[in-house]
Amino acid sequence: MSGAHPGPPAGPRPAPEDRWFTRRQVAAFAAVLAMAAALGTAAYQTGGRLAGTGGGAVVTAAAGSPPDGRALYAASCAGCHGPDAAGALGPALRASAGWSGTDFTRAVLEGRTPDGRQLGAVMPRFAAVGLDGSAPTQAQLDALHAYLKTLP
């Protein structure tokens, strides 16, 4: 025996870029995360500006006055569905304007569409979280639905 080293194993050896994420892939992923955070923040702030009360503000009606569907939408929906319900992080809501009041109420409170489809997990179930810090009233749901019907 000569004591020679047998050499590398047979077959192709993976290149370093095949074993790990490349710097370019990591940078692209970081850029996508930053863009998603910026879009989410902008959508949230848009909802606050539409309400005229700042993001996350509680929208309450004066005693005896009907709920304001526009303010309810701005405070609870615009952050995901966009200022005109055309869609943003969440889908467009134009179809929901044509739903019956019962179907709309079920979608908002329980997260279920008229055809029985379960809405995404990020869609709040407003029966549990409320529209203004308390359980939604039918008057609020009707005002919200009526407001959606006014959008182009």
Side-chain angles (χ1 to χ4, degrees):
M1 276 208 149
S2 67
H5 190 354
R13 183 174 181 182
E17 61 271 4
D18 291 337
R19 294 183 299 184
W20 303 98
F21 291 109
T22 65
R23 290 177 196 235
R24 188 174 188 176
Q25 289 171 323
V26 171
F29 182 70
V32 167
L33 285 178
M35 186 169 47
L39 285 172
T41 300
Y44 182 76
Q45 290 171 344
T46 297
R49 284 192 301 276
L50 282 172
T53 57
V58 174
V59 178
T60 56
S65 67
D68 181 353
R70 178 181 181 268
L72 286 167
Y73 178 83
S76 300
C77 310
C80 290
H81 296 286
D84 58 357
L89 298 175
L93 295 178
R94 288 192 174 87
S96 67
W99 294 347
S100 72
T102 302
D103 289 338
F104 181 78
T105 296
R106 184 179 314 121
V108 173
L109 296 181
E110 301 168 15
R112 188 163 300 279
T113 63
D115 61 2
R117 185 176 55 85
Q118 188 72 24
L119 297 175
V122 296
M123 170 68 184
R125 286 5 183 209
F126 287 101
V129 300
L131 283 172
D132 63 357
S134 60
T137 66
Q138 191 59 52
Q140 288 174 317
L141 296 167
D142 292 343
L144 186 57
H145 195 208
Y147 173 70
L148 287 174
K149 290 178 181 182
T150 67
L151 298 175

